[in-house]
Amino acid sequence: TRIDNRKSLTPEYEAAENLRLDGDGLEKRRQLGFTTLHIVPSGRLASGRGALITTRGVTLRDSLLRAPTMSQLRVFAPRDEGYPHTLMGGTAHLRQFFLDARRFAQQQTLFKAGTPQVPRPFQDEALEGLQPVLAKQIPVWFYANTRDEIDRSLNFAAEQDLPFTLWGGREAERCLPRLLEKQVSLVLTLDYGD
């Protein structure tokens, strides 16, 4: 059996499990007035789950306030080698991943119910990682800045019946009627520099 293509799909990634606290970096942000930081994985179609930490200079275990906080998605053209590396490919890849995750959940349900001729579901961390999103147990954040990215996020979320928060939003004012109609929450990204 051919291995499934999971390129740019890591919804099971937990920021809390991969934190490396830099005491100087945290202290610098604390001195700027930031008491908490939301660590959000990004750069993939399905990047994983965020974590909320405090900057008060304690151990990693004590700095973690909440995890997971959300699951990050993005409809874009991944820059990796090979498929998917176009916008159409990235969108199709993410859409197929959602279809596969729904089928995976259905097969698990049927197998647990003892349905005849339903084989034991295979193990797949990525498909399992998307289950809280499909069950609406964890908030979804779509990263989008341009009007086109925002429109694609709105379309994909509607297609998948996903309530979501828009993260980024540089050109959100250009999509305001749709954002208001869909009652989408918005988290703007601000660049404070170094």
Side-chain angles (χ1 to χ4, degrees):
T1 304
R2 202 173 103 204
I3 296 173
D4 292 327
N5 180 354
R6 295 288 183 247
K7 196 180 290 184
S8 197
L9 300 169
T10 57
E12 74 280 9
Y13 179 87
E14 296 277 355
E17 294 174 7
N18 295 283
L19 284 176
R20 303 292 177 265
L21 286 184
D22 171 5
D24 293 338
L26 287 177
E27 180 60 23
K28 186 177 178 182
R29 284 167 178 78
R30 191 177 68 75
Q31 288 178 0
L32 288 171
F34 294 98
T35 59
T36 54
L37 299 176
H38 195 183
I39 309 301
V40 179
S42 63
R44 296 174 175 263
L45 294 166
S47 295
R49 301 176 187 134
L52 193 65
I53 64 170
T54 181
T55 60
R56 72 173 181 244
V58 295
T59 64
L60 177 59
R61 184 183 73 215
D62 294 332
S63 69
L64 187 61
L65 299 174
R66 183 172 177 210
T69 55
M70 46 63 78
S71 186
Q72 193 271 324
L73 301 174
R74 184 175 182 195
V75 183
F76 77 120
R79 300 292 179 224
D80 297 331
E81 293 281 325
Y83 180 82
H85 67 274
T86 64
L87 177 58
M88 185 168 66
T91 305
H93 194 52
L94 188 59
R95 183 177 288 126
Q96 184 63 53
F97 185 59
F98 269 77
L99 290 170
D100 292 347
R102 284 191 171 93
R103 184 179 186 283
F104 179 77
Q106 182 180 34
Q107 186 178 10
Q108 284 184 323
T109 300
L110 292 172
F111 180 78
K112 287 177 184 173
T115 305
Q117 299 183 6
V118 174
R120 176 183 298 279
F122 51 89
Q123 295 294 313
D124 190 312
E125 288 182 353
L127 293 177
E128 288 175 12
L130 196 62
Q131 296 310 307
V133 168
L134 295 176
K136 300 176 183 166
Q137 296 168 337
I138 184 170
V140 173
W141 284 21
F142 273 94
Y143 181 73
N145 276 305
T146 68
R147 183 182 69 195
D148 288 343
E149 290 171 344
I150 293 168
D151 281 337
R152 283 193 295 271
S153 297
L154 286 163
N155 294 342
F156 190 86
E159 175 185 311
Q160 300 299 327
D161 188 31
L162 292 175
F164 75 100
T165 296
L166 181 69
W167 167 43
R170 189 175 60 239
E171 294 181 7
E173 79 282 354
R174 297 178 72 187
C175 305
L176 210 47
R178 261 189 100 188
L179 292 170
L180 290 171
E181 175 193 339
K182 300 292 183 185
Q183 298 182 341
V184 174
S185 298
L186 179 61
V187 175
L188 294 174
T189 301
L190 302 176
D191 185 1
Y192 283 94
D194 292 333

